[in-house]
Amino acid sequence: MWTDEAHFSLLGDVNTQNSRIWATSNPREYQSQPLHSPRVTVWCGFTASFILGPFFFEVPCPVSGVKTCTVTAARYLTLLRDHVVPALQERHVLPVVPFMQDGAPPHISRDVKTFLLESFTEDRVISRGCKIQWPSRSPDLTPADFWLWGYLKSRVYRSSPTTLVELKNAIRLIVAAIDGNMLHSAVMGVVTRLTCYYLVVVVSVALLSELLEVALWWSSHGNFDKKK
């Protein structure tokens, strides 16, 4: 099961590190927005046949009822223990489903790691610091990053939610509409990307090997023009 969290801003803010506009001259355009736009933090997990979530990281608030909170190790563990594992048990897949997560600090705390290993065993946990480690800085290989979050945001903001309640309801509706064909296609995309990654590594190693041979040959034969 591929898992991840993402922020959904009420204003639909774009990450400027991932969005570039190329032009022949400076357009001198500016976009005003609040420093801290209201947002929700969402967790989802999915396989090729089903999706769990969305679950929101929230705490009680006397003014609005609930408010978005930071993802900590304790809150992440509560999510796993009270929602994720029971949902997998209800589907009767806990003994067989693998669990993948990235290396965010809340994910790799001692208590979280212990719980994951007890629930899934070390052969089915894919995470930093575990027997099977997921490569760091590889969002292009994770279907939650290269498909799920972009897909959800492209549809959630079509309804132009004006409150966090509307935003959460829109997220729930879009997630509920995701079918098995979409999930299967996304997971198969991982296979394609890993295959391409493997081929790139193989080709790179082969090229490095050839360059090393050339370097070794040159080190022993390339000084023929020097005076003896």
Side-chain angles (χ1 to χ4, degrees):
M1 183 169 66
W2 306 91
T3 72
D4 198 16
E5 302 98 2
H7 299 304
F8 283 70
S9 167
L10 189 59
L11 298 181
D13 300 340
V14 175
N15 185 345
T16 56
Q17 295 303 315
N18 298 329
S19 178
R20 304 290 186 181
I21 299 176
W22 297 93
T24 56
S25 61
N26 191 335
R28 304 295 179 183
E29 294 184 2
Y30 302 91
Q31 180 180 7
S32 299
Q33 61 185 33
L35 180 60
H36 300 292
S37 173
R39 67 183 186 181
V40 296
T41 302
V42 187
W43 181 96
C44 283
F46 62 94
T47 69
S49 58
F50 66 87
I51 185 168
L52 298 184
F55 297 112
F56 300 95
F57 285 92
E58 299 173 325
V59 293
C61 174
V63 177
S64 59
V66 294
K67 66 176 181 179
T68 299
C69 61
T70 303
V71 181
T72 64
R75 290 166 180 156
Y76 184 62
L77 178 58
T78 298
L79 170 71
L80 296 175
R81 184 183 60 238
D82 296 349
H83 299 284
V84 176
V85 167
L88 294 175
Q89 290 173 329
E90 185 177 346
R91 289 178 173 270
H92 306 290
V93 296
L94 183 61
V96 295
V97 69
F99 185 93
M100 177 273 167
Q101 62 177 11
D102 62 27
H107 297 174
I108 58 175
S109 71
R110 180 180 301 177
D111 291 342
V112 169
K113 181 178 178 181
T114 299
F115 179 78
L116 288 176
L117 294 178
E118 290 175 350
S119 302
F120 297 92
T121 74
E122 65 176 3
D123 292 328
R124 290 186 289 117
V125 176
I126 307 173
S127 177
R128 176 182 166 191
C130 293
K131 179 180 178 181
I132 306 175
Q133 299 198 39
W134 185 257
S136 59
R137 303 180 184 88
S138 56
D140 55 324
L141 299 178
T142 309
D145 284 319
F146 72 69
W147 169 69
L148 179 63
W149 301 130
Y151 171 78
L152 290 181
K153 291 183 179 183
S154 68
R155 282 155 178 75
V156 164
Y157 293 117
R158 289 180 182 178
S159 60
S160 301
T162 58
T163 66
L164 292 181
V165 172
E166 292 180 359
L167 178 60
K168 290 191 291 185
N169 287 337
I171 294 171
R172 292 188 182 102
L173 287 174
I174 301 301
V175 170
I178 294 176
D179 59 30
N181 291 331
M182 298 171 65
L183 295 172
H184 183 268
S185 177
V187 172
M188 289 306 297
V190 179
V191 177
T192 301
R193 288 166 183 258
L194 288 176
T195 301
C196 293
Y197 175 77
Y198 173 77
L199 292 175
V200 169
V201 171
V202 170
V203 171
S204 299
V205 170
L207 289 175
L208 287 174
S209 178
E210 292 180 1
L211 290 174
L212 179 60
E213 290 182 6
V214 172
L216 291 174
W217 182 91
W218 191 260
S219 65
S220 59
H221 298 83
N223 58 350
F224 57 86
D225 59 340
K226 293 183 179 180
K227 294 182 179 180
K228 297 183 179 180

